C-alpha cells in the first residue's frame, strides 16, 4: 500500500507516540501489537518503524526473551536482537554475529570483545568508530567512555599510560566537562597509572545529577585514596548498589578492616580487577601468616597472565611480567618466613634475569626496580650501609634512576659518602669522639695536632677535644698534663668544637 494512511491508523499512531513519550512502555507495546495486525494497511515503512519501536519497548522493560523470539522468526532489526543477546551475556555469540553496519552493532561488537578479554580487537573497533566523520558529540562521548574502560582493564598499576585515546579523551572533556561517565573513567584511569591527584573524579561528582550514579564515583574517589595511601579523607566504602560495585566495596572493606575476603572474584570483573583481587588477597594472607593460602592465591594470580596455550606458558606481555614480578616477591617473602632465605634470594635473582632479557619499556623497568629493591631488602635484613644502598639505587633501570626521588636520594648518599671519605684527620677524630670511640679519637688528635704553643686558635679548640678524648678513654694523667699546657694559651676565647659533649651521653653511644 502506498499513500496516506487512513484516519484511524493516524489516530492510533498519535496515541502510540503519546504513550511512548510518556514512557508508558506497556501501553506502547499493546498499541504497537494492535497496529501490526494491520501491516498491509500500514505499508512497509510504517510497519517496520512500529516493529522497531515495539522491540525498543521490550528493551526498556528488559524483556529480552520477546526480542529473541522475534529474532527466530525474522532477520530484521538484527542490531536490537543482538543487543538482547548482549544483555543476556552471550558475548561469544554477539562477537561472531555483529557487523559494522550500524553504530549499535559496532558498540556491541567492541563491548563483547571487552567482556571476552579480547582487548586489542575491542580497541580497533573503537578507533575505527572515532575516525568516522558522522560521529557527533554524544556518539564520540560514548565511544571514548567505553574505550577508556577497555584501556583501564589492561593498564599496569602505577605505570603511566601514553595511550593516544587518553589525550583525545582529556581534550574532549576540557570542552565538555558535563559528561560524568567519561570523567569517571578518565579520572579512574589517571589514578591507576600515576596521578593520585587527578581532578576528574571530583569533576565527575560535580557533573552527576543522578543519585544512583554517585555510588561508583564516590567509591572510586575513596578507592584512589586507598590505592595511593593518601590521608586526605577517611576511607569509607558504601556497600549499596549493583552486585559488581558491591563486590568491589566489600573487597576494599576487607582490605581496610582485615576482614576475610570473598572466596572468588566477582564473575563480571575485568582482567585487571581479577588480578588486583588475587594480589590483595595474597598480601592479606601473608600478613595474616596464612602462608599456604597465600601461595594458593599467588598461583591463581599466575593463571591470569601469559599465553592461553598452556604449552607455551609464562608471561607474554610487559604487563604479564609486571604482575609475575609481584607474585615472585610475595612468594620470596613466604620462603623467608619458612627459613629459606637463600632460596628466596635465588628466586628473585632469576626473576631479575628474566626481566632484564625482555625488550625494555616502562612496565619492565618498573618490575625490575620492584624486584631489585626487595632483593636488596632480603640480602640486608638488618641494615645496609650507605655504600650498599647507593650501589642498589645505581643498579636500577635508567628510567627509574631518572625519577626525582631517586636522583635526590642518590645525590644525598653520594654527598654523605663523599664527605666521609674527604674528612680531615681531625674531623675524623671529632666524629670518633661523638661516636664514643674515645681512644681512637685521642690517637688521631695526638698524631695530627701540633704541640699547644704552635697551635692557632682553631687548633687550640681542637686541643680541648683532645683533652676530653683522653679523659673519657681513662688516660687521666695525660689529660691533665695536656690541659695544663693548653689552658694558659686560651685566654677565655677557644671552646671545644664538640657541642654539649657529656660523658654519660657519650657512654650511652
Amino acid at each position: 500500500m502506498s499513500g496516506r494512511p487512513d484516519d484511524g491508523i493516524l489516530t492510533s499512531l498519535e496515541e502510540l507516540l503519546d504513550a511512548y513519550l510518556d514512557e508508558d512502555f506497556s501501553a506502547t507495546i499493546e498499541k504497537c501489537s494492535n497496529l501490526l495486525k494491520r501491516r498491509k494497511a500500514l505499508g512497509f515503512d510504517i510497519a517496520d518503524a512500529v516493529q522497531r519501536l515495539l522491540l525498543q519497548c521490550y528493551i526498556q522493560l528488559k524483556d529480552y526473551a520477546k526480542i529473541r523470539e522475534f529474532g527466530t522468526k525474522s532477520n530484521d532489526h538484527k542490531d536490537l536482537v543482538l543487543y538482547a543477546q548482549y544483555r543476556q551475556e552471550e558475548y561469544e555469540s554477539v562477537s561472531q554475529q555483529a557487523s559494522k553496519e550500524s553504530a549499535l552493532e559496532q558498540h556491541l561488537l567492541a563491548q563483547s570483545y571487552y567482556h571476552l578479554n579480547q582487548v586489542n580487537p575491542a580497541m580497533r573497533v573503537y578507533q575505527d568508530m572515532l575516525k568516522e566523520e558522522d560521529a557527533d558529540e554524544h556518539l564520540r562521548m560514548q565511544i571514548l567512555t567505553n574505550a577508556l574502560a577497555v584501556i583501564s582493564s589492561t593498564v599496569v598499576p602505577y605505570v603511566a599510560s601514553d595511550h593516544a585515546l587518553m589525550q583525545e579523551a582529556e581534550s574532549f572533556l576540557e570542552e565538555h566537562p558535563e559528561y560524568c561517565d567519561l570523567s569517571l573513567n578518565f579520572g579512574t584511569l589517571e589514578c591507576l597509572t600515576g596521578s593520585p591527584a587527578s581532578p576528574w573524579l571530583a569533576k565527575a561528582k560535580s557533573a552527576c545529577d543522578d543519585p544512583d550514579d554517585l555510588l561508583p564515583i564516590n567509591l572510586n574517589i575513596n578507592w584512589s585514596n586507598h590505592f595511593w595511601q593518601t590521608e586526605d579523607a577517611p576511607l569509607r566504602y558504601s556497600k549499596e548498589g549493583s552486585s559488581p560495585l558491591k563486590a568491589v566495596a566489600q573487597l576494599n572493606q576487607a582490605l581496610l578492616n582485615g576482614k576475610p575476603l570473598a572466596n572468588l572474584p566477582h564473575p563480571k570483573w575485568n582482567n585487571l580487577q581479577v588480578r588486583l583481587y588475587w594480589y590483595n588477597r595474597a598480601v592479606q594472607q601473608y600478613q595474616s601468616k596464612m602462608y599456604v593460602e597465600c601461595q594458593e592465591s599467588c598461583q591463581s594470580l599466575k593463571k591470569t597472565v601469559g599465553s592461553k596455550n598452556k604449552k607455551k606458558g609464562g608471561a607474554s606481555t610487559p604487563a604479564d611480567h609486571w604482575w609475575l614480578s609481584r607474585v615472585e616477591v610475595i612468594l620470596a617473602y613466604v620462603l623467608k618466613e619458612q627459613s629459606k632465605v637463600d632460596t628466596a634470594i635465588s628466586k628473585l635473582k632469576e626473576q631479575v634475569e628474566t626481566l632484564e632479557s625482555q625488550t625494555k619499556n616502562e612496565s619492565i623497568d618498573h618490575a625490575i626496580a620492584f624486584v631489585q629493591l626487595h632483593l636488596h631488602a632480603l640480602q640486608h635484613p638488618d641494615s645496609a650501609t650507605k655504600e650498599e644502598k647507593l650501589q642498589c639505587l645505581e643498579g636500577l633501570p635508567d628510567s627509574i634512576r631518572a625519577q626525582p626521588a631517586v636522583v635526590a636520594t642518590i645525590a644525598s648518599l653520594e654527598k654523605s659518602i663523599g664527605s666521609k671519605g674527604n674528612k680531615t684527620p681531625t674531623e675524623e677524630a671529632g666524629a670518633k669522639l661523638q661516636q664514643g670511640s674515645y681512644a681512637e679519637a685521642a690517637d688521631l688528635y695526638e698524631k695530627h695536632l701540633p704541640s699547644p704553643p704552635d697551635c692557632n686558635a682553631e687548633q687550640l679548640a681542637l686541643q680541648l677535644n683532645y683533652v676530653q678524648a683522653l679523659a673519657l678513654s681513662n688516660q687521666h694523667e695525660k689529660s691533665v698534663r695536656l690541659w695544663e699546657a693548653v689552658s694558659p694559651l686560651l685566654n677565655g676565647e677557644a671552646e671545644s668544637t664538640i657541642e654539649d659533649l657529656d660523658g654519660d651521653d657519650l657512654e650511652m653511644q
Side-chain angles (χ1 to χ4, degrees), residues 93-129:
S93 177
V94 174
S95 69
Q96 293 173 357
Q97 297 180 65
S99 66
K100 298 182 180 179
E101 296 175 359
S102 69
L104 177 56
E105 283 194 58
Q106 287 178 300
H107 272 299
L108 294 174
L109 180 61
Q111 285 300 103
S112 294
Y113 282 143
Y114 166 67
H115 287 292
L116 294 169
N117 284 320
Q118 297 178 22
V119 175
N120 291 333
M123 289 306 302
R124 282 195 292 270
V125 174
Y126 284 130
Q127 287 166 336
D128 289 344
M129 292 178 73

Side-chain angles (χ1 to χ4, degrees), residues 426-440:
T426 53
E427 287 174 337
E428 186 65 28
K432 294 289 185 183
L433 184 58
Q434 287 183 308
Q435 294 167 4
S437 302
Y438 313 126
E440 293 179 42

Side-chain angles (χ1 to χ4, degrees), residues 241-259:
S242 62
S243 54
L245 290 174
K246 184 176 180 180
V248 173
Q250 289 173 336
L251 169 61
N252 286 313
Q253 286 281 11
L255 294 173
L256 288 172
N257 304 325
K259 295 180 180 179

Side-chain angles (χ1 to χ4, degrees), residues 115-265:
H115 287 292
L116 294 169
N117 284 320
Q118 297 178 22
V119 175
N120 291 333
M123 289 306 302
R124 282 195 292 270
V125 174
Y126 284 130
Q127 287 166 336
D128 289 344
M129 292 178 73
L130 286 169
K131 292 176 184 176
E132 295 178 5
E133 295 181 358
D134 60 346
D136 60 18
E137 175 189 313
H138 186 73
L139 179 57
R140 291 184 69 80
M141 179 276 296
Q142 289 182 319
I143 296 169
L144 288 170
T145 300
N146 290 337
L148 292 188
V150 175
I151 295 172
S152 68
S153 72
T154 64
V155 296
V156 178
Y158 307 112
V159 178
S161 173
D162 58 356
H163 201 289
L165 283 185
M166 289 279 289
Q167 300 171 12
E168 186 168 350
E170 186 169 24
S171 298
F172 184 90
L173 280 170
E174 293 289 353
E175 296 182 12
H176 307 286
E178 66 273 16
Y179 292 117
C180 65
D181 286 344
L182 181 55
S183 296
L184 169 62
N185 284 4
F186 185 78
T188 301
L189 192 50
E190 277 202 323
C191 288
L192 266 173
T193 57
S195 300
S198 172
W200 289 105
L201 290 177
K203 290 182 179 181
K205 187 172 183 177
S206 298
C208 182
D209 55 7
D210 186 340
D212 292 338
D213 291 339
L214 279 175
L215 175 65
I217 298 173
N218 288 329
L219 183 67
N220 280 15
I221 289 173
N222 282 327
W223 167 83
S224 66
N225 291 334
H226 182 200
F227 191 71
W228 288 99
Q229 299 180 20
T230 61
E231 298 179 356
D232 296 336
L235 302 179
R236 297 190 181 93
Y237 294 87
S238 170
K239 294 187 179 182
E240 301 299 324
S242 62
S243 54
L245 290 174
K246 184 176 180 180
V248 173
Q250 289 173 336
L251 169 61
N252 286 313
Q253 286 281 11
L255 294 173
L256 288 172
N257 304 325
K259 295 180 180 179
L261 288 168
N263 290 329
L264 293 170

Side-chain angles (χ1 to χ4, degrees), residues 51 67-78 81:
Q51 180 66 67
I67 305 171
R68 298 290 301 277
E69 181 183 349
F70 170 81
T72 63
K73 301 174 183 177
S74 173
N75 292 324
D76 295 336
H77 307 294
K78 176 188 168 188
V81 176

